[in-house]
Amino acid sequence: MGLPAIPIVNDPGLDEAVKDLTPEKISNVVNRIIDSETAARFKVYMKTCVHCGLCSDACHWFLSNDRDPRFSPVGKVKQTLWEIIKRKDSLDPAFLKECSRIAHTECNVCRRCSMYCPFGIDIAYLLMVVRRICSELEMVPQFLQDTVNSHSVTMNQMWVKQDEWIDTLQWQEEEAKGEIKTARIPLDKEGADVFYSVIAPEPKILAQLIGNIAQIMAVAKVDWTMPSFDGWDNSNMAMFSGDFETMGRVERYHHEAAQKLKARRIVMGECGHAFRGAAYDGPRWLGWRQPPIPLIHAVDFYHELITTGRIKIARKFKTPVTVQEPCNIVRGRGLGQKLREIIAATCEDFTPPDPDFEHNYCCGAGGGVINCGPPWKTSRVKGNRVKAEQLADTKAQIIITPCHNCHSGIEDIISGYKLGMHVKFFSEILMEVMEIPDEMRA
Amino acid sequence: MYEFVSGPLVWIAFIVFVSGMVYQFVIMLRSAKKDKVIYPYMSLKYSLRSLFHWIIPFASRNMRDRYEVTIVTFLFHICLILVPILLIAHIAMFSFAWGLKWMALSQGSATYMTIIVILACLFFFIRRLMLPEVQFVTYPSDYLLLAIAAAPFITGLAANQQWFDYQTTVIIHMITGSIMLMVIPFTRLSHMLFFPFTRAYMGSEFGAVRNARDW
Ligand code: HEM
Ligand code: HEM
Ligand code: SF4
Ligand code: SF4
């Protein structure tokens, strides 16, 4: 068909593992996963799809790669699952590398396509089945697998040791106290109203965000705590590699940490995938209909603080802003409206992106794709040109991005397409505009 | 020959169609129990909300964006389902056998609607050939299914218009009609059965779990 060749990417995680594969090993895993781990959804979706291609326009990969059919949602299912089902017992190892490339690095499991398929087929779920098969065959991009290994050894994503964690919290408490006298980071406090959890990159590379939240909590006079022990990290890369056993352990630790401290509810920092893991993918795997302790995302929490007046806005943010609506909290939890309301309450000059709300484009980083690391960065940035165009059209200077994955993904897009914009978490905006009573100031 | 195709074959076709649909339905219900999330998440309200947005033309964003497909597919499906049920010739056969009767389309409109179905099949065919994203996911079986869906309409029209030897055309028509009925439960044409359920599940997951819209 004259399609351009897809560049070959060397990824030791895949290139080494592929050497150990044989068609028998592959067929054992494929049969086990398909027979014992999938049921009605998988079977009905496979029977129902009429190969109409109407899901194509949903996918930013397809749109950004000049409508290359290999990047359409159903195109990705065709190149992976349809082949797997057709040739179950004679799949060659090299094909599995293709599967991992497509399912792990060229789909963000953002689920936009399930809003475009007239049958509501959950294509992201189908591609997760492919990831599951790959993961069971140890075919996972190296960087992604490293985060999973870290989860399974340390219960956090970035090999953070417990003493480092506590040190970081104490350091950030000092920083926060330098601004606001009453700022504290209460560790292991029982019965607090709020159990606050973050993802491991915060203590590792973005520690000031923890200092910020300590100040916000102090100003809003929230009764809160963080655990000194494992379970503080709410991120979950195993959910995206296909290692659901580890995913389940990580989610259980997180929820149990909050239970141990008898917290009234869990408030999660500004991260979308972590919220997805804690709010539905995790509970699903663990067989819980709902998480045991109520759980809300930071956007929900800030909305509550602002609308109840516990945080007052001193002056609105003046620079023109737009928003990156994270899939996992907007399409995944309907927080689009609340996000708009807190932006309206804090920013003067807001331009919405188009399309928006549930129809937002994914940042291109989510679903574990950015965690596949530098080898896959070029294709990831190329695969989201539509995002760059959409952001450029808003003519904003700041992109409010209440998600860690989106944050990094959008930064890559800004530099890749030379947009000259900047990304901020909502808490960073809040820090600039909230009213701090004089008696609190250090 | 005529006796066989207009008698036993029609019976066989209906029995295979109905029992095939029941079989697929039961299998679906059973495997839905194994898929732990389905029953707990199902919600009548959100199922209906989703169905509503996907059976009303242009009620969803993708239907508006791909308006040409929407127009054709609605005309196609409406005619495809109404014509065989409300056709005078078909009703006549039922009333001859069982004495049942129901409202019929006028012969003229039935013929126009038949032509619509045939043209729509042509549209789907061309779309499949021309659009790279559709062509890429097309198997030979997709053309075959399209032909199976079109055949009773083409042969029915040919019989009605008496283009060829009437008796032979009607026999071919009855065979193609029976084939279509019989393959529905066992091919992708079973989307007819699954459509309300896939929508209902996605609608429930979006509405009840994710608090978001799915259209
Ligand atoms: C299975 C047994 C079937 C039998 C015995 C049967 C019988 C007939 C007969 C006797 C005619 C009359 C031709 C005329 O006007 O002189 C006819 C026409 C027609 N049938 Fe069927 N049919 C069957 C199935 C189907 C199916 C499954 C479809 C479509 C889904 C279909 C669609 C049509 C159409 C479109 C016409 C022509 C209408 C027109 O141009 O006015 N038939 N059929
Ligand atoms: C009453 C239930 C049915 C529903 C709700 C339904 C729904 C759909 C939908 C949503 C599509 C998606 C693609 C598009 O919009 O073009 C489709 C395609 C299609 N349907 Fe149906 N359908 C039904 C019954 C049938 C029956 C009974 C047949 C034929 C025997 C049929 C034949 C087709 C064909 C051939 C296509 C594919 C067109 C292509 O090649 O792209 N449908 N249907
Ligand atoms: S990236 Fe999103 S839209 Fe594209 S196939 Fe994956 S889930 Fe669907
Ligand atoms: S829109 Fe749905 S039915 Fe059509 S090709 Fe995509 S997944 Fe299949």
Side-chain angles (χ1 to χ4, degrees):
Chain A
M1 266 204 297
L3 293 168
I6 295 199
I8 293 177
V9 171
N10 296 317
D11 183 312
L14 302 175
D15 298 333
E16 290 303 315
V18 81
K19 293 182 189 152
D20 294 334
L21 294 183
T22 60
E24 298 79 68
K25 277 192 195 168
I26 299 173
S27 97
N28 285 342
V29 167
V30 166
N31 286 315
R32 174 163 58 79
I33 300 296
I34 298 208
D35 295 343
S36 66
E37 283 191 18
T38 70
R41 277 179 298 160
F42 182 83
K43 300 199 162 83
V44 171
Y45 291 157
M46 295 298 277
K47 285 186 212 168
T48 304
C49 173
V50 293
H51 307 182
C52 66
L54 285 169
C55 46
S56 307
D57 289 329
C59 188
H60 50 285
W61 287 88
F62 172 76
L63 298 173
S64 303
N65 281 292
D66 301 320
R67 309 183 68 84
D68 181 333
R70 291 168 300 182
F71 293 94
S72 87
V74 62
K76 292 179 231 186
V77 176
K78 181 210 162 179
Q79 293 169 87
T80 56
L81 267 187
W82 295 359
E83 289 299 314
I84 291 176
I85 301 291
K86 231 176 24 188
R87 312 191 270 127
K88 260 190 202 166
D89 300 315
S90 58
L91 291 166
D92 56 299
F95 171 73
L96 262 286
K97 183 177 174 188
E98 299 284 285
C99 286
S100 173
R101 184 198 83 223
I102 294 166
H104 281 119
T105 81
E106 292 168 359
C107 168
N108 299 95
V109 290
C110 73
R111 296 180 288 198
R112 191 171 193 260
C113 43
S114 49
M115 291 194 320
Y116 283 69
C117 169
F119 298 98
I121 290 176
D122 192 346
I123 297 140
Y125 160 78
L126 294 176
L127 289 165
M128 281 304 301
V129 174
V130 178
R131 290 187 184 192
R132 174 72 174 157
I133 290 170
C134 289
S135 169
E136 289 293 279
L137 289 164
E138 298 180 18
M139 291 291 287
V140 177
Q142 189 184 34
F143 279 82
L144 181 59
Q145 187 59 47
D146 181 69
T147 61
V148 177
N149 295 347
S150 171
H151 274 305
S152 98
V153 175
T154 65
M155 281 299 135
N156 71 68
Q157 192 197 130
M158 294 192 120
W159 305 99
V160 179
K161 296 200 218 59
Q162 194 188 18
D163 55 341
E164 287 176 66
W165 164 242
I166 296 174
D167 277 356
T168 308
L169 295 183
Q170 284 175 344
W171 161 47
Q172 282 306 317
E173 185 178 71
E174 288 306 316
E175 296 282 318
K177 275 203 278 194
E179 300 294 326
I180 292 176
K181 277 184 286 192
T182 51
R184 295 288 182 278
I185 300 183
L187 288 187
D188 300 340
K189 182 177 172 198
E190 280 197 9
D193 179 40
V194 167
F195 170 100
Y196 188 72
S197 60
V198 297
I199 70 171
E202 292 205 10
K204 197 88 183 175
I205 47 183
L206 290 161
Q208 76 281 7
L209 292 177
I210 299 177
N212 287 355
I213 193 73
Q215 295 188 44
I216 292 170
M217 293 290 194
V219 171
K221 300 199 177 70
V222 175
D223 172 23
W224 70 302
T225 187
M226 289 179 99
S228 65
F229 47 88
D230 289 348
W232 56 265
D233 179 13
N234 58 27
S235 73
N236 199 333
M237 283 304 142
M239 162 172 79
F240 288 145
S241 75
D243 181 351
F244 299 151
E245 287 77 10
T246 303
M247 169 189 82
R249 277 175 63 218
V250 170
E251 291 307 333
R252 192 183 281 283
Y253 255 80
H254 177 230
H255 288 291
E256 286 181 354
Q259 274 175 311
K260 214 176 284 174
L261 294 180
K262 305 188 176 63
R264 298 250 308 283
R265 56 187 177 149
I266 300 174
V267 172
M268 304 182 58
E270 291 180 61
C271 184
H273 97 273
F275 187 71
R276 170 187 190 148
Y280 36 91
D281 281 28
R284 232 179 222 207
W285 177 261
L286 294 167
W288 302 341
R289 191 167 188 281
Q290 293 290 336
I293 294 183
L295 170 101
I296 63 171
H297 184 268
V299 163
D300 225 343
F301 185 60
Y302 293 136
H303 187 265
E304 176 189 313
L305 296 183
I306 292 172
T307 52
T308 56
R310 292 174 79 176
I311 291 223
K312 295 195 178 56
I313 307 304
R315 69 211 86 79
K316 284 199 178 181
F317 193 77
K318 293 213 165 48
T319 319
V321 298
T322 185
V323 66
Q324 159 60 16
E325 293 165 298
C327 304
N328 288 320
I329 67 166
V330 172
R331 183 156 49 249
R333 199 58 157 196
L335 288 179
Q337 189 54 37
K338 283 187 174 167
L339 180 53
R340 289 300 169 90
E341 286 169 16
I342 58 177
I343 292 173
T346 51
C347 299
E348 234 169 53
D349 184 354
F350 169 71
T351 311
D354 176 37
D356 59 352
F357 285 99
E358 282 93 338
H359 289 272
N360 68 330
Y361 292 127
C362 171
C363 63
V369 173
I370 194 169
N371 305 77
C372 294
W376 303 97
K377 183 176 165 185
T378 311
S379 66
R380 168 165 57 83
V381 172
K382 179 164 180 272
N384 211 355
R385 193 184 68 217
V386 288
K387 182 94 244 170
E389 291 165 356
Q390 177 195 42
L391 291 172
D393 284 348
T394 66
K395 308 228 167 15
Q397 287 168 31
I398 303 282
I399 305 156
I400 299 176
T401 304
C403 169
H404 277 278
N405 261 308
C406 298
H407 197 97
S408 318
I410 300 291
E411 272 177 348
D412 287 343
I413 284 172
I414 290 174
S415 62
Y417 294 91
K418 307 205 168 31
L419 299 182
M421 303 166 111
H422 295 281
V423 190
K424 273 188 194 295
F425 288 104
F426 182 76
S427 63
E428 295 176 293
I429 302 275
L430 197 57
M431 288 299 292
E432 294 192 30
V433 303
M434 76 177 167
E435 182 184 293
I436 302 174
D438 284 338
E439 67 276 14
M440 279 192 180
R441 285 186 194 274
Chain B
M1 187 66 177
Y2 182 83
E3 277 65 43
F4 174 73
V5 291
S6 65
L9 182 65
V10 179
W11 274 104
I12 294 170
F14 272 93
I15 291 169
V16 171
F17 171 70
V18 173
S19 49
M21 292 297 242
V22 171
Y23 170 79
Q24 292 287 3
F25 181 68
V26 171
I27 298 246
M28 180 187 73
L29 289 188
R30 289 232 312 254
S31 67
K33 207 175 284 168
K34 214 180 118 197
D35 212 336
K36 285 178 293 189
V37 296
I38 294 188
Y39 291 120
Y41 284 174
M42 280 305 228
S43 136
L44 182 64
K45 175 176 150 200
Y46 292 116
S47 297
L48 293 177
R49 185 179 78 162
S50 180
L51 274 165
F52 180 81
H53 280 95
W54 286 93
I55 54 171
I56 311 275
F58 306 112
S60 68
R61 183 179 185 123
N62 204 21
M63 282 201 244
R64 291 192 292 273
D65 289 352
R66 293 264 70 89
Y67 58 90
E68 72 293 349
V69 179
T70 307
I71 294 170
V72 174
T73 206
F74 272 92
L75 287 172
F76 167 77
H77 282 95
I78 291 169
C79 298
L80 176 108
I81 289 163
L82 288 187
V83 171
I85 296 175
L86 301 180
L87 187 72
I88 291 182
H90 288 179
I91 300 173
M93 295 187 71
F94 270 96
S95 59
F96 181 72
W98 293 341
L100 290 170
K101 262 204 196 112
W102 58 89
M103 183 193 84
L105 288 169
S106 75
Q107 185 56 51
S109 32
T111 299
Y112 280 120
M113 287 165 80
T114 302
I115 294 170
I116 289 178
V117 172
I118 296 168
L119 291 179
C121 286
L122 201 63
F123 170 87
F124 288 135
F125 177 73
I126 294 173
R127 183 172 175 271
R128 221 166 249 298
L129 275 179
M130 304 296 290
L131 282 189
E133 71 266 31
V134 191
Q135 198 207 50
F136 185 69
V137 294
T138 294
Y139 283 163
S141 59
D142 290 300
Y143 292 119
L144 187 64
L145 287 176
L146 205 50
I148 288 176
F153 291 86
I154 297 171
T155 53
L157 184 69
N160 180 263
Q161 302 295 312
Q162 313 217 355
W163 287 335
F164 312 103
D165 173 55
Y166 182 74
Q167 179 93 350
T168 320
T169 320
V170 169
I171 289 177
I172 296 176
H173 171 71
M174 290 172 179
I175 293 173
T176 55
S178 302
I179 290 176
M180 179 187 126
L181 281 175
M182 288 190 286
V183 303
I184 289 178
F186 307 103
T187 59
R188 288 190 280 288
L189 296 180
S190 61
H191 69 268
M192 174 186 181
L193 170 68
F194 294 127
F195 174 84
F197 301 102
T198 53
R199 274 259 66 97
Y201 176 72
M202 204 26 102
S204 301
E205 196 185 308
F206 262 87
V209 182
R210 300 201 220 148
N211 193 19
R213 291 169 300 181
D214 67 333
W215 57 88

